[in-house]
Amino acid sequence: MPVQYSSPALKAGRSPRVEVSLLQPSGKPKNYMAGTVSPSVIYMLPMEYTKYQIIFLEKLRKLYPRERAPGLIQKESSSHHIYEILLLDVADHDLALTTPITLTIDGIIRSFSGFITAPQILYKFHFKKLTLASYYVIKVCLLEAFSKIGEVLDIVLYEDDPSSSWFTGNGYVYLTRQRKYYDSPKLFPLMYPNNIPVEAIWSLEEQN
C-alpha cells in the first residue's frame, strides 16, 4: 500500500529503547546534524553546565589537537552552547561517536557524544508500525526505496519494548536531499520480497 510522509514529525516515545543501525558495521547509529563547514563535528553543552565550559573546551582540544582540528565555530541555542569543530581529515568524524567528552558534575560522570555534520540538507524520516520482517529484509527494502530520492546515511530500528530487546515497528531513516523535493507530501509504494505489502506511518523532520 502507499506510504505517506507527513509533517510535523511524530514525537518519540518515552519507553526505554535500544537503537540498532542497519548500515553501520558496529550496529551503533551515527548522530548527524547540519553544519556550516565540512568536514566537521558538533558538540552541545547544556546551558545549565555553563560553568564547565572551559573544562569542556579544553577536553575537546585534547581530543582534537591543532594539527587535526584548526578551528572552532561557537553558537548558542536557547538551551545549549554549540561548538562546531573544523576537521582536516574526515576520518576523525568517528571520534565524535567513539570517544565522548566526560564531565564530573555534582559527583556524577556525564558523557557528551558529538554529531557528524552533513554537507547537504538533512532529513530524518520517522516510522511507526512498520510491517515486521527480518532486519536484512527491512534494510534492503528501505535502502532501495529511499536511495531513489536521496542519499541514505543510516536506517535505524528501535528495540523499544519494556525489555529494550524487541523491534516493534518503530525507527527512522536519515536522508540527504534537495529541499524542493519536499514542498508537498509524497507517496510511493514499498514492498517486501514475495510481494508482501508494507504498512507504516511516516513523518518528516528537517534536521537543519
Side-chain angles (χ1 to χ4, degrees), residues 74-113:
Q74 299 185 68
K75 296 175 280 188
E76 291 186 355
S77 68
S78 60
S79 59
H80 288 80
H81 299 284
I82 302 171
Y83 311 105
E84 183 174 0
I85 300 171
L86 171 64
L87 302 177
L88 297 182
D89 189 343
V90 70
D92 286 334
H93 266 165
D94 286 347
L95 283 175
L97 307 176
T98 60
T99 312
I101 300 297
T102 59
L103 296 175
T104 301
I105 300 174
D106 298 327
I108 299 174
I109 298 176
R110 301 188 182 276
S111 297
F112 302 86
S113 295

Side-chain angles (χ1 to χ4, degrees), residues 138-202:
I138 292 173
K139 179 180 75 171
V140 171
C141 178
L142 296 186
L143 188 59
E144 179 182 1
F146 280 93
S147 293
K148 296 176 182 177
I149 59 174
E151 179 187 359
V152 177
L153 299 178
D154 209 350
I155 299 171
V156 177
L157 306 185
Y158 295 154
E159 294 180 346
D160 56 359
D161 71 293
S163 70
S164 300
S165 56
W166 293 89
F167 173 58
T168 63
N170 306 321
Y172 62 85
V173 177
Y174 264 131
L175 182 76
T176 61
R177 182 66 179 178
Q178 295 300 317
R179 187 188 307 273
K180 63 181 181 180
Y181 182 85
Y182 299 112
D183 287 343
S184 60
K186 298 293 179 181
L187 296 171
F188 66 85
L190 296 179
M191 193 75 69
Y192 285 156
N194 300 321
N195 293 321
I196 300 174
V198 178
E199 296 185 23
I201 301 173
W202 297 90

Side-chain angles (χ1 to χ4, degrees), residues 7-97:
S7 186
L10 296 172
K11 299 299 183 181
R14 294 185 178 276
S15 58
R17 72 188 184 201
V18 172
E19 297 189 2
V20 179
S21 168
L22 300 187
L23 299 188
Q24 305 304 326
S26 66
K28 182 178 180 180
K30 292 186 176 182
N31 299 318
Y32 292 93
M33 183 177 289
T36 55
V37 294
S38 183
S40 63
V41 291
I42 292 176
Y43 287 81
M44 302 176 68
L45 181 68
M47 288 291 186
E48 62 191 280
Y49 301 146
T50 295
K51 67 179 181 180
Y52 297 95
Q53 185 174 200
I54 293 177
I55 298 174
F56 191 81
L57 288 168
E58 289 174 344
K59 291 195 172 190
L60 282 175
R61 173 48 80 197
K62 185 176 181 180
L63 181 61
Y64 300 96
R66 289 180 181 84
E67 61 271 17
R68 293 161 65 183
L72 175 77
I73 297 173
Q74 299 185 68
K75 296 175 280 188
E76 291 186 355
S77 68
S78 60
S79 59
H80 288 80
H81 299 284
I82 302 171
Y83 311 105
E84 183 174 0
I85 300 171
L86 171 64
L87 302 177
L88 297 182
D89 189 343
V90 70
D92 286 334
H93 266 165
D94 286 347
L95 283 175
L97 307 176

